[in-house]
Amino acid sequence: MSPYALPLIAPFVLLLSAGLSFSLSELHSRLVATVAEITALLALAVALVSVVTLVFLGAGESTLFGTAGIGLSTRLDAVSVTMLALVAFVGWIVVRYSRTYLDGEPRQSTFTGWLTAALASVLLLVQASNISQLVVSWMATSLCLHRLLLFYPGRIAAQRAARKKLLFTRIGAVSLITAAVLLTLAFGTTDIAAINAAARKGNVPLMAVSATILIALAAILKSAQFPTHGWLTEVMEAPTPVSALLHAGVINGGGFLLVRFADVMLLSPGTLAVLAIVGGFTALFGALVMLTQPSVKTSLAWSTVAQMGFMTLQCGLGLFSLALLHIVAHSLYKAHAFLSSGGAVEQVAAIRRPGPVAIPDGAAVCWAFIAALTIYAAIGAAFGTIFGFDHKTPQSLALGTILIFGVAYLLAQGMADAAPRVLTRMTAVYSLAAAFGYFALQTLAEWLTAGALPTTPTPGRLEWTLMVLAIISFGTVAVAQALFPLWSNHPAAAGLRVHLSNGLYINATFDRMLGGWSVRKPS
């Protein structure tokens, strides 16, 4: 067997585990859970071996197990092995956690079966070398997630979330299938690497450009972008492992799709602009609503909405290597956040807060933003001097400016009159670390994905307009957030908080539009 076909072992053993889960009765749930954990660990080992294979043998793909471009084949490159390792690692953690979390729960074996089947589908998706495998595994992932969302079928909110997700899934599947057909006809092949290589050369048919619109639509629907985000905020009705599983290549599958077809997406600047606008607005919207949520898990769900929006913004700006880095970083910390959310309330309640609360005034906020941007410029200049300024594209610098606004918010707390000196020193250190970390990780991501992903194109007038708009929008929200304590008692602020806590009623509007279809009363 070719070493490039080795990753196919991972989904194969997980599917065997899923078949065992469905075939045995609930009396053998502990055996099923044990087998699932072992196979998930084996899948992780296969993913790590795939990383070693890429390092020593270089990028490549296996032969096709099928005919006429339809079948199973795998590709090893920086994108696929990164996702393989991420999905396998998070998947193993979730399976291990589920073994204890659902111990003694009715239908535990069924849950374990759909969980391992979902992991197998995602692993097939991220290593796919041909479009047919990618499309089938994309739909299989959605099917498995639908079954997991309905693990508690008697919960009305769970039914509503699952049915809204099913609606968006069907639209996204049709979009992706149509895009696959158009790309196959345009390039005369189903091989993804060959399609990207041809797109990189330019002079492609109009059908390929049309396919970018459908790929973008499928990605938006998959990653719960505004206004299709409602189902994600209701996923709390499913068991906690499902929330963590979303970050093992499921909810961020839209970002992976855009990264996988990065060369094709660059053929249509208009489509990328739409992605930037939708992603940027979703990021701002999700972040604002997140701050108003009283529930830990609901707040985390809205945070995921915001993070997926920021990932889409990165793809829209052509920063595909940074989008891949974002997928990895967000998946790891958010999966951990969901799995550890049970003890978060107790930990927060145990924290003592002596002394007055540090509330920054306008002057402190102004100086904080000036200091943050100065730190960012200084660290950027230092990295540019050492590594060169060629790879510092305007898009990446604009993205860093947006990220540094979060640092400015922390600095504002440290510069408040009532802030203790320890807090001031800590925020200064964190500011330096954040700026250094951004440039370091950006350089590392671009180096690791060189050749696998295209370089960020030179921005035109449209791209410059989007970057300026994004900086102004995120900067305004960051300033408003820092100053919010000063006017939080105003009646208008209280009303705004109520509206934001309800997500500006977008989800409720969807529920009303769907009517009786969205909720099925339990029999």
Side-chain angles (χ1 to χ4, degrees), residues 486-501:
L486 297 177
W487 48 278
S488 59
N489 294 325
H490 193 279
L496 177 62
R497 186 179 184 88
V498 172
H499 297 318
L500 285 175
S501 66

Side-chain angles (χ1 to χ4, degrees), residues 4 54 57-62 74-77 80 129:
Y4 294 109
L54 175 65
L57 298 183
E61 57 186 56
S62 68
T74 183
R75 176 168 179 79
L76 289 186
D77 60 12
S80 62
S129 178

